[in-house]
PDB file of all heavy atoms in Angstrom:
ATOM      1  N   PRO A  47     151.642  10.743 234.098  1.00 50.00           N
ATOM      2  CA  PRO A  47     151.847  10.188 232.750  1.00 50.00           C
ATOM      3  C   PRO A  47     152.686  11.095 231.857  1.00 50.00           C
ATOM      4  O   PRO A  47     153.462  10.636 231.031  1.00 50.00           O
ATOM      5  CB  PRO A  47     150.424  10.038 232.221  1.00 50.00           C
ATOM      6  CG  PRO A  47     149.626  11.046 232.994  1.00 50.00           C
ATOM      7  CD  PRO A  47     150.242  11.094 234.354  1.00 50.00           C
ATOM      8  N   GLU A  54     160.421   8.881 228.615  1.00 54.00           N
ATOM      9  CA  GLU A  54     160.500   7.854 227.571  1.00 54.00           C
ATOM     10  C   GLU A  54     160.964   8.460 226.252  1.00 54.00           C
ATOM     11  O   GLU A  54     161.779   7.874 225.528  1.00 54.00           O
ATOM     12  CB  GLU A  54     159.135   7.200 227.398  1.00 54.00           C
ATOM     13  CG  GLU A  54     159.179   6.016 226.440  1.00 54.00           C
ATOM     14  CD  GLU A  54     157.837   5.317 226.356  1.00 54.00           C
ATOM     15  OE1 GLU A  54     156.947   5.637 227.139  1.00 54.00           O
ATOM     16  OE2 GLU A  54     157.707   4.446 225.479  1.00 54.00           O
ATOM     17  N   ALA A  72     180.705  13.885 212.351  1.00 47.00           N
ATOM     18  CA  ALA A  72     181.921  13.096 212.132  1.00 47.00           C
ATOM     19  C   ALA A  72     181.959  12.542 210.716  1.00 47.00           C
ATOM     20  O   ALA A  72     183.007  12.481 210.073  1.00 47.00           O
ATOM     21  CB  ALA A  72     181.992  11.965 213.151  1.00 47.00           C
ATOM     22  N   VAL A 158     169.604   2.651 200.015  1.00 83.00           N
ATOM     23  CA  VAL A 158     168.145   2.496 200.127  1.00 83.00           C
ATOM     24  C   VAL A 158     167.768   1.042 200.395  1.00 83.00           C
ATOM     25  O   VAL A 158     166.949   0.735 201.271  1.00 83.00           O
ATOM     26  CB  VAL A 158     167.482   3.015 198.828  1.00 83.00           C
ATOM     27  CG1 VAL A 158     166.008   2.620 198.792  1.00 83.00           C
ATOM     28  CG2 VAL A 158     167.624   4.520 198.733  1.00 83.00           C
ATOM     29  N   ALA A 180     162.513   6.029 203.635  1.00 84.00           N
ATOM     30  CA  ALA A 180     162.322   7.459 203.854  1.00 84.00           C
ATOM     31  C   ALA A 180     163.336   7.999 204.855  1.00 84.00           C
ATOM     32  O   ALA A 180     163.874   9.107 204.695  1.00 84.00           O
ATOM     33  CB  ALA A 180     160.902   7.720 204.344  1.00 84.00           C
ATOM     34  N   PHE A 183     166.651   8.494 203.105  1.00 82.00           N
ATOM     35  CA  PHE A 183     166.662   9.702 202.286  1.00 82.00           C
ATOM     36  C   PHE A 183     166.876  10.944 203.153  1.00 82.00           C
ATOM     37  O   PHE A 183     167.603  11.872 202.769  1.00 82.00           O
ATOM     38  CB  PHE A 183     165.345   9.838 201.518  1.00 82.00           C
ATOM     39  CG  PHE A 183     165.308   9.018 200.267  1.00 82.00           C
ATOM     40  CD1 PHE A 183     164.324   8.073 200.061  1.00 82.00           C
ATOM     41  CD2 PHE A 183     166.273   9.186 199.283  1.00 82.00           C
ATOM     42  CE1 PHE A 183     164.298   7.313 198.907  1.00 82.00           C
ATOM     43  CE2 PHE A 183     166.243   8.434 198.118  1.00 82.00           C
ATOM     44  CZ  PHE A 183     165.247   7.486 197.930  1.00 82.00           C
ATOM     45  N   TYR A 389     196.209  42.231 170.437  1.00 88.00           N
ATOM     46  CA  TYR A 389     195.861  42.560 171.816  1.00 88.00           C
ATOM     47  C   TYR A 389     196.242  44.011 172.077  1.00 88.00           C
ATOM     48  O   TYR A 389     197.272  44.487 171.591  1.00 88.00           O
ATOM     49  CB  TYR A 389     196.614  41.655 172.805  1.00 88.00           C
ATOM     50  CG  TYR A 389     196.316  40.191 172.651  1.00 88.00           C
ATOM     51  CD1 TYR A 389     196.995  39.415 171.718  1.00 88.00           C
ATOM     52  CD2 TYR A 389     195.361  39.561 173.450  1.00 88.00           C
ATOM     53  CE1 TYR A 389     196.733  38.063 171.578  1.00 88.00           C
ATOM     54  CE2 TYR A 389     195.087  38.207 173.318  1.00 88.00           C
ATOM     55  CZ  TYR A 389     195.784  37.474 172.381  1.00 88.00           C
ATOM     56  OH  TYR A 389     195.506  36.134 172.250  1.00 88.00           O
ATOM     57  N   ARG A 415     198.445   8.955 177.891  1.00 86.00           N
ATOM     58  CA  ARG A 415     199.302   9.432 176.795  1.00 86.00           C
ATOM     59  C   ARG A 415     198.758  10.662 176.092  1.00 86.00           C
ATOM     60  O   ARG A 415     199.416  11.228 175.218  1.00 86.00           O
ATOM     61  CB  ARG A 415     199.479   8.314 175.759  1.00 86.00           C
ATOM     62  CG  ARG A 415     200.449   7.234 176.193  1.00 86.00           C
ATOM     63  CD  ARG A 415     200.554   6.129 175.147  1.00 86.00           C
ATOM     64  NE  ARG A 415     200.679   6.643 173.799  1.00 86.00           N
ATOM     65  CZ  ARG A 415     201.807   7.108 173.253  1.00 86.00           C
ATOM     66  NH1 ARG A 415     202.900   7.148 173.982  1.00 86.00           N
ATOM     67  NH2 ARG A 415     201.826   7.538 172.004  1.00 86.00           N
ATOM     68  N   LEU A 417     198.166  13.888 176.948  1.00 89.00           N
ATOM     69  CA  LEU A 417     198.945  15.118 177.060  1.00 89.00           C
ATOM     70  C   LEU A 417     200.273  15.016 176.320  1.00 89.00           C
ATOM     71  O   LEU A 417     200.694  15.948 175.637  1.00 89.00           O
ATOM     72  CB  LEU A 417     199.177  15.455 178.530  1.00 89.00           C
ATOM     73  CG  LEU A 417     198.067  16.250 179.227  1.00 89.00           C
ATOM     74  CD1 LEU A 417     198.321  16.324 180.721  1.00 89.00           C
ATOM     75  CD2 LEU A 417     197.950  17.647 178.651  1.00 89.00           C
ATOM     76  N   ASP A 443     206.149  11.322 169.186  1.00 65.00           N
ATOM     77  CA  ASP A 443     206.675  11.309 170.542  1.00 65.00           C
ATOM     78  C   ASP A 443     207.974  10.541 170.626  1.00 65.00           C
ATOM     79  O   ASP A 443     208.635  10.547 171.661  1.00 65.00           O
ATOM     80  CB  ASP A 443     205.657  10.734 171.523  1.00 65.00           C
ATOM     81  CG  ASP A 443     205.161   9.369 171.101  1.00 65.00           C
ATOM     82  OD1 ASP A 443     205.401   8.986 169.937  1.00 65.00           O
ATOM     83  OD2 ASP A 443     204.529   8.677 171.924  1.00 65.00           O
ATOM     84  N   VAL A 480     244.831  36.334 161.118  1.00 86.00           N
ATOM     85  CA  VAL A 480     244.023  35.733 162.177  1.00 86.00           C
ATOM     86  C   VAL A 480     244.208  36.542 163.455  1.00 86.00           C
ATOM     87  O   VAL A 480     245.340  36.808 163.890  1.00 86.00           O
ATOM     88  CB  VAL A 480     244.419  34.264 162.419  1.00 86.00           C
ATOM     89  CG1 VAL A 480     243.625  33.685 163.584  1.00 86.00           C
ATOM     90  CG2 VAL A 480     244.195  33.442 161.160  1.00 86.00           C
ATOM     91  N   LEU A 619     225.329  49.629 177.299  1.00 78.00           N
ATOM     92  CA  LEU A 619     225.949  48.342 177.578  1.00 78.00           C
ATOM     93  C   LEU A 619     227.477  48.446 177.493  1.00 78.00           C
ATOM     94  O   LEU A 619     228.010  49.168 176.641  1.00 78.00           O
ATOM     95  CB  LEU A 619     225.454  47.292 176.582  1.00 78.00           C
ATOM     96  CG  LEU A 619     223.969  46.935 176.662  1.00 78.00           C
ATOM     97  CD1 LEU A 619     223.604  45.956 175.560  1.00 78.00           C
ATOM     98  CD2 LEU A 619     223.625  46.349 178.024  1.00 78.00           C
ATOM     99  N   LEU A 722     245.575  43.482 170.359  1.00 41.00           N
ATOM    100  CA  LEU A 722     244.714  42.371 170.006  1.00 41.00           C
ATOM    101  C   LEU A 722     243.339  42.853 169.601  1.00 41.00           C
ATOM    102  O   LEU A 722     242.534  42.080 169.185  1.00 41.00           O
ATOM    103  CB  LEU A 722     244.600  41.404 171.195  1.00 41.00           C
ATOM    104  CG  LEU A 722     245.916  40.774 171.630  1.00 41.00           C
ATOM    105  CD1 LEU A 722     245.676  39.919 172.877  1.00 41.00           C
ATOM    106  CD2 LEU A 722     246.514  39.933 170.530  1.00 41.00           C
TER     107      LEU A 722
END
Side-chain angles (χ1 to χ4, degrees):
E54 186 176 351
V158 169
F183 278 123
Y389 299 84
R415 284 178 45 80
L417 274 171
D443 54 346
V480 176
L619 295 176
L722 299 176

